[in-house]
Amino acid sequence: TLLVTADQVVVHQGDVREKPESEAEARAFIASYGESPARTVGAIVVTDLDTGRRVASGDSSEVHFSPIPPEVVDFLISEGECFHCAGGLMVEHPKIYPLVTKLDGSLDSIMGLSKQVMGRLLLEAIVNRQKEGTGPHI
């Protein structure tokens, strides 16, 4: 059995941002992304529960936005989903995505889980199991 754990933060102008704790904080976070880029920093760990062996990797991407209009900020806050995202960052949202001007990295990485990194770690964990004679053959 393989267990996948992951987490992500947003870094903006050197400040580490978790989920916003208030409407004021969410408003400030979201509006600031239209002023300077946001970087997501994530980590993924795959643990083989049978052997205890772990493989891990970090991932980082950066997104640039044009200025985010106050009515978009208001909409996101009233909708409430931004309170469940690191830094209140919801790049995939239909109101935000058209404001993306540049993406350094991948969209799935910005959204919280890089498919490329995840696939590489799962493959590495499976290969490790095969080398130890405890896993399925591919």
Side-chain angles (χ1 to χ4, degrees):
T1 303
L2 299 176
L3 172 67
V4 176
T5 53
D7 201 6
Q8 180 185 56
V9 295
V10 173
V11 179
H12 184 261
Q13 294 184 337
D15 293 326
V16 175
R17 296 178 172 181
E18 298 278 355
K19 295 175 182 125
E21 295 182 359
S22 68
E23 182 178 316
E25 187 172 53
R27 186 174 301 283
F29 282 2
I30 296 166
S32 72
Y33 301 139
E35 299 166 8
S36 57
R39 175 165 291 282
T40 58
V41 180
I44 304 170
V45 178
V46 177
T47 303
D48 186 325
L49 296 179
D50 298 324
T51 65
R53 188 176 203 161
R54 293 181 180 155
V55 290
S57 185
D59 186 56
S60 181
S61 292
E62 187 171 84
V63 61
H64 300 246
F65 295 96
S66 58
I68 300 173
E71 59 272 13
V72 171
V73 177
D74 292 341
F75 181 86
L76 294 173
I77 289 171
S78 68
E79 194 176 57
E81 289 300 312
C82 63
F83 292 98
H84 305 291
C85 301
L89 184 63
M90 298 175 53
V91 70
E92 73 280 8
H93 194 283
K95 297 271 187 190
I96 288 289
Y97 191 74
L99 302 173
V100 172
T101 60
K102 183 179 178 187
L103 185 62
D104 293 322
S106 66
L107 183 60
D108 53 326
S109 172
I110 293 282
M111 291 172 58
L113 190 66
S114 167
K115 293 176 197 172
Q116 181 180 6
V117 173
M118 180 67 175
R120 181 175 48 81
L121 291 175
L122 286 172
L123 184 59
E124 187 177 339
I126 291 168
V127 168
N128 287 341
R129 291 194 87 191
Q130 289 176 338
K131 287 179 183 175
E132 295 169 359
T134 60
H137 296 285
I138 314 178

